[in-house]
Amino acid sequence: MSAPPKYSAAAAAPPRLRSDDDDDDDDDDDGNDDEETVDEEFISKSAGPVTMIPDVFTQLPPVRDDLETDTSEAQDETVEACLPFLAGQDDLFEYNEHGVPRINREKHIKFLHNSLGRLPGGFVAADASRPWFLYWSLSALTMLGEDVSHYREAVAETARGMQNDTGGFGGGGRQLSHMATTYAVVLALALVGGEEAFEVVDRKAMWKWLCSLKQADGGFQVCMGGEEDIRGAYCAAVIITLLNLPLDLTPESPAWTGDSSANLFTGLARYVRRCQTFEGGISGQPDAEAHGAYAFCALGCLALLDDPRRVIPKYLNVPRLISWLSSRQYAPEGGFSGRTNKLVDGCYSHWVGGCFPLIEACLSPAASSGQGGQADDSDRAGLPPVSESLFSKEGLIRYILCCCQDQSKRGGLRDKPGRLSDAYHSCYVLSGLSSAQNQWVLAGSDDKSATGVADPAWTVLPPLEDVQIFDKRDRIRPIHPVYAIPDENQRAIRSYFLAKDSEGFF
């Protein structure tokens, strides 16, 4: 092992980086570094006092493998680009006494409103992702404190044109219904709220469509004839619970057995369990590579099937999952990667960072059994209750506020320095910030939802840490840890459809 080099802080614009996208790792040009050495003390741009930034965020880890590979070179480039921002040396920011900049709320809001308007011609390649642009932009605006209800009529009209008579929503008019785009449309409708938006959904057709995607092994296909994966499991659970759909199967369903006890959720938790890998992470399908987004989908799906304190330890090896998730957070960056040996990326602030509230919930005291005692803790053997956060919230907050904000006129949030901001990263970077700025706890409740499973109440509290490195005015609106929209929005759409019965479905 070689001694770690002392990194210099770049005074000029950061270098462009290799992408951490799943399908490409293109090289970009490096920028220029000055000769100034990063020290543990930095001068705040905002007021001038000496600020103390922990060494872990200003230099390489003390142990590094001296074997040079494309991966290690890309990682070094990423660190070199992030250090000036983390060290409080970027001229575009004003840093507080902790060396953390404010969130540029106004610029980001303007960027997101523009993302809901007419886009340049190059976006035609993303035509099938139109529902996602609705959700990403509306969700990010909501977290920044914007009222998006004035988009209700436009969103309802757009969604109506994407809905198919056979059920579900496609990426646009005359496009095949897909689980992912249907999930995005339902969440977008929940964000704008109101009867006009909710009544767009043809629930009977939606139920029949979901039944046609339900598979005999417990999982869901993402579209007719498409792949079966963990995304389908999570999206289906969200759609079913938000819309209060019947769990009964149609006789035409591939999962139909003639047994009245089989339903849309039968075998779903077992399918999720089959997706846990030898590393401890979660893959999209059984026997594939673990990925951060799939881990969130797995945990979110299980948390909708039953109380997380029961269902997550029952179907997943929690210690191994915690180990894998923890390995995704890097120093000095403070952010998360999505896979082993990949680069930090702002979107995993949600996909990986958002896993920890669910993990921490499953390690909270067991739920009541409903019989005056405690629930069966046999599946929690060896799992101690959590007394502090399982990841570095400070590290994630530093990465997001220092490295993920586009401080140019463009605004918005980005993957990392040197990358362009976009609606996708704006949404999921802010979602991760919400997880880091807040603490979600579960109430001990055995109330049953319309789906017939436990429906525990989630409560948001201030974080466990006594000292916060961000200014109070930079706190963003919290979102539900499972549905990834504000709690009041998920409550509103669920209450609306709970008031409706399933008459006429059968």
Side-chain angles (χ1 to χ4, degrees):
M1 309 295 290
S2 63
K6 192 73 171 180
Y7 266 58
S8 62
R16 288 193 56 80
L17 301 174
R18 303 182 183 191
S19 171
D20 190 33
D21 293 338
D22 291 343
D23 297 323
D24 64 275
D25 287 296
D26 297 331
D27 293 335
D28 293 306
D29 295 331
D30 290 338
N32 297 319
D33 302 328
D34 64 14
E35 298 301 322
E36 184 178 343
T37 302
V38 176
D39 197 354
E40 61 185 83
E41 296 185 354
F42 300 94
I43 303 300
S44 171
K45 298 285 196 302
S46 58
V50 174
T51 55
M52 297 297 294
I53 302 176
D55 288 346
V56 68
F57 303 116
T58 62
Q59 61 190 27
L60 287 176
V63 178
R64 297 184 69 228
D65 193 333
D66 59 2
L67 177 64
E68 292 188 4
T69 64
D70 289 345
T71 298
S72 67
E73 291 176 2
Q75 174 62 21
D76 288 346
E77 290 175 12
T78 301
V79 171
E80 191 74 36
C82 290
L83 279 177
F85 296 92
L86 294 167
Q89 296 184 346
D90 182 74
D91 293 334
L92 295 177
F93 282 126
E94 291 186 358
Y95 294 85
N96 65 16
E97 65 272 20
H98 300 287
V100 175
R102 292 202 56 202
I103 189 167
N104 199 326
R105 202 177 296 261
E106 292 74 19
K107 276 188 179 180
H108 304 330
I109 287 173
K110 181 179 179 181
F111 170 80
L112 291 161
H113 280 302
N114 289 338
S115 297
L116 288 168
R118 186 176 296 276
L119 299 174
F123 279 87
V124 69
D127 181 61
S129 296
R130 289 174 63 201
W132 283 111
F133 280 90
L134 291 177
Y135 167 63
W136 295 331
S137 301
L138 292 169
S139 179
L141 284 167
T142 301
M143 285 184 279
L144 290 171
E146 287 287 280
D147 180 2
V148 297
S149 62
H150 62 280
Y151 283 111
R152 181 179 300 144
E153 182 179 354
V155 170
E157 186 62 27
T158 301
R160 195 173 289 111
M162 297 175 176
Q163 187 167 218
N164 290 306
D165 293 339
T166 53
F169 295 85
R174 300 182 180 180
Q175 294 185 22
L176 182 70
S177 292
H178 194 285
M179 194 76 81
T181 50
T182 300
Y183 162 88
V185 169
V186 171
L187 291 187
L189 293 171
L191 286 166
V192 296
E195 182 177 4
E196 180 183 1
F198 299 159
E199 283 297 323
V200 169
V201 182
D202 185 337
R203 292 169 65 235
K204 182 177 181 180
M206 179 78 76
W207 168 67
K208 290 184 176 181
W209 177 68
L210 289 171
C211 286
S212 70
L213 299 177
K214 174 69 175 180
Q215 301 300 298
D217 65 355
F220 284 86
Q221 289 181 323
V222 294
C223 62
M224 291 298 296
E227 65 270 31
E228 177 186 5
D229 61 30
I230 202 76
R231 296 173 303 158
Y234 169 66
C235 291
V238 168
I239 295 164
I240 291 167
T241 53
L242 287 182
L243 301 182
N244 186 29
L245 298 178
L247 292 184
D248 306 78
L249 293 172
T250 63
E252 295 77 23
S253 172
W256 172 262
T257 64
D259 183 353
S260 60
S261 64
N263 61 46
L264 284 169
F265 283 164
T266 299
L268 189 54
R270 291 193 297 274
Y271 178 81
V272 171
R273 177 168 57 191
R274 291 173 54 215
C275 292
Q276 187 164 27
T277 75
F278 70 94
E279 291 182 287
I282 308 296
S283 59
Q285 300 169 323
D287 305 317
E289 181 186 13
H291 191 286
Y294 299 143
F296 178 82
C297 288
L299 290 167
C301 177
L302 292 177
L304 292 175
L305 297 180
D306 198 357
D307 190 301
R309 292 162 289 202
R310 285 190 290 257
V311 70
I312 292 177
K314 181 176 181 179
Y315 289 98
L316 296 177
N317 185 319
V318 175
R320 288 176 65 187
L321 179 56
I322 292 174
S323 175
W324 188 87
L325 290 170
S326 299
S327 297
R328 304 280 66 75
Q329 190 168 27
Y330 293 170
E333 305 98 298
F336 291 99
S337 71
R339 292 183 284 161
T340 302
N341 288 331
K342 296 293 284 186
L343 304 178
V344 66
D345 185 331
C347 72
Y348 296 114
S349 303
H350 167 69
W351 294 122
V352 178
C355 290
F356 285 99
L358 301 176
I359 290 286
E360 291 165 7
C362 94
L363 296 179
S364 63
S368 166
S369 66
Q371 302 297 324
Q374 293 296 312
D376 181 8
D377 276 358
S378 60
D379 295 307
R380 293 166 50 87
L383 298 181
V386 63
S387 58
E388 59 185 44
S389 179
L390 295 175
F391 72 105
S392 173
K393 290 188 172 184
E394 176 178 346
L396 183 58
I397 291 171
R398 285 186 182 277
Y399 180 71
I400 289 173
L401 294 180
C402 293
C403 299
C404 293
Q405 296 193 78
D406 189 331
Q407 286 296 96
S408 69
K409 293 182 179 180
R410 177 184 177 88
L413 287 301
R414 61 192 179 189
D415 164 355
K416 58 175 71 69
R419 311 298 298 179
L420 287 175
S421 59
D422 55 63
Y424 168 83
H425 284 93
S426 295
C427 173
Y428 291 125
V429 166
L430 290 174
S431 296
L433 185 59
S434 175
S435 293
Q437 288 182 337
N438 301 285
Q439 175 194 358
W440 285 91
V441 296
L442 276 171
S445 171
D446 263 348
D447 294 340
K448 300 295 183 180
S449 70
T451 60
V453 298
D455 189 21
W458 291 86
T459 302
V460 64
L461 300 173
L464 294 170
E465 291 79 3
D466 294 330
V467 178
Q468 297 304 318
I469 63 170
F470 61 92
D471 296 340
K472 289 183 179 179
R473 54 187 172 174
D474 292 327
R475 185 182 297 276
I476 65 169
R477 189 177 180 184
I479 57 172
H480 191 279
V482 180
Y483 291 109
I485 56 176
D487 190 48
E488 51 265 44
N489 290 84
Q490 70 88 14
R491 288 181 181 275
I493 189 170
R494 292 182 69 195
S495 297
Y496 182 83
F497 288 116
L498 280 170
K500 292 179 172 289
D501 56 32
S502 300
E503 184 178 354
F505 272 69
F506 306 102

